[in-house]
Amino acid sequence: MDRLNMEPLISAARVQTRVEELAKQISKDFAGQTLCVVGVLKGSFIFVADLIRSLDIDCQVEFIGVSSYVGMQSTGHVRLTYDLSVDIEDKNVLLVEDIIDTGTTVDYMLKTFAVRKPRMLKICCLLSKPSSHQVELAIDYAGFEIGPEFVVGYGLDYNGLYRNLPGIMRVTEVR
């Protein structure tokens, strides 16, 4: 099994502070409305949990599963692994991603969701890698912008491991 050398990129405290700031803005933008929060499995589950606990509005929580990575590389192909269990037609939907790298996954989901006719569809991500984006995206709520480095922690993984780290770690070497 590969072992990673890592260094801290974003502390757990900074992550929590930023999640609370995002939740405050989302709550303000959707005041008096119900929001359907759709987390992208598996990476977003911790972010979604912390985000919804900080929201001051009514929200429904759903998950969708997609896969586009092998190891540290995006395959460029998105595959649906788990679909929504509710109809999102005429609902305010917030799609929550752990990280937007190339943007291929979010672009796929936006197209998939558009045919389901939500009232409103917004994008929220914890991390965005603008220099890696290959599609043009309007990200409504972004926690942090980072460079092209590979990161783990706070739900993000390397081959299924390291999701449990409380902060975001930059991978410096795979051994």
Side-chain angles (χ1 to χ4, degrees):
M1 176 177 301
D2 294 335
R3 297 296 303 165
L4 304 182
N5 283 343
M6 300 174 273
E7 61 186 25
L9 181 63
I10 306 170
S11 72
R14 279 189 63 213
V15 169
Q16 289 306 312
T17 297
R18 187 65 182 126
V19 170
E20 290 168 9
E21 291 169 353
L22 289 170
K24 185 176 181 180
Q25 184 62 52
I26 293 164
S27 295
K28 179 181 174 193
D29 292 350
F30 289 93
Q33 302 176 60
T34 299
L35 185 62
C36 181
V37 177
V38 178
V40 181
L41 293 174
K42 295 179 184 171
S44 75
F45 77 102
I46 294 173
F47 179 35
V48 168
D50 287 347
L51 184 68
I52 66 166
R53 283 193 298 255
S54 295
L55 290 175
D56 291 327
I57 57 172
D58 291 334
C59 67
Q60 177 180 17
V61 180
E62 287 296 318
F63 288 95
I64 190 165
V66 293
S67 177
S68 64
Y69 265 80
V70 175
M72 293 173 60
Q73 297 296 317
S74 173
T75 64
H77 302 285
V78 181
R79 154 176 93 80
L80 186 66
T81 60
Y82 178 79
D83 204 356
L84 299 175
S85 62
V86 299
D87 184 5
I88 60 169
E89 186 172 347
D90 204 35
K91 291 185 178 178
N92 295 319
V93 176
L94 180 67
L95 180 64
V96 181
E97 264 280 31
D98 54 353
I99 188 167
I100 297 178
D101 191 344
T102 64
T104 305
T105 302
V106 171
D107 187 56
Y108 169 85
M109 287 186 290
L110 289 174
K111 290 173 182 169
T112 301
F113 283 19
V115 299
R116 298 176 187 197
K117 300 180 180 139
R119 177 182 308 135
M120 185 181 304
L121 179 58
K122 300 285 187 175
I123 301 170
C124 177
C125 67
L126 178 65
L127 304 172
S128 177
K129 293 182 179 183
S131 65
S132 298
H133 293 181
Q134 295 176 1
V135 293
E136 194 169 321
L137 295 170
I139 301 169
D140 302 285
Y141 309 97
F144 301 95
E145 288 188 356
I146 63 171
E149 61 263 355
F150 190 80
V151 293
V152 296
Y154 197 71
L156 295 120
D157 75 305
Y158 172 75
N159 290 340
L161 300 174
Y162 307 104
R163 292 187 195 278
N164 59 314
L165 298 173
I168 307 295
M169 304 292 284
R170 174 187 294 123
V171 175
T172 57
E173 178 185 19
V174 179
R175 306 182 265 131

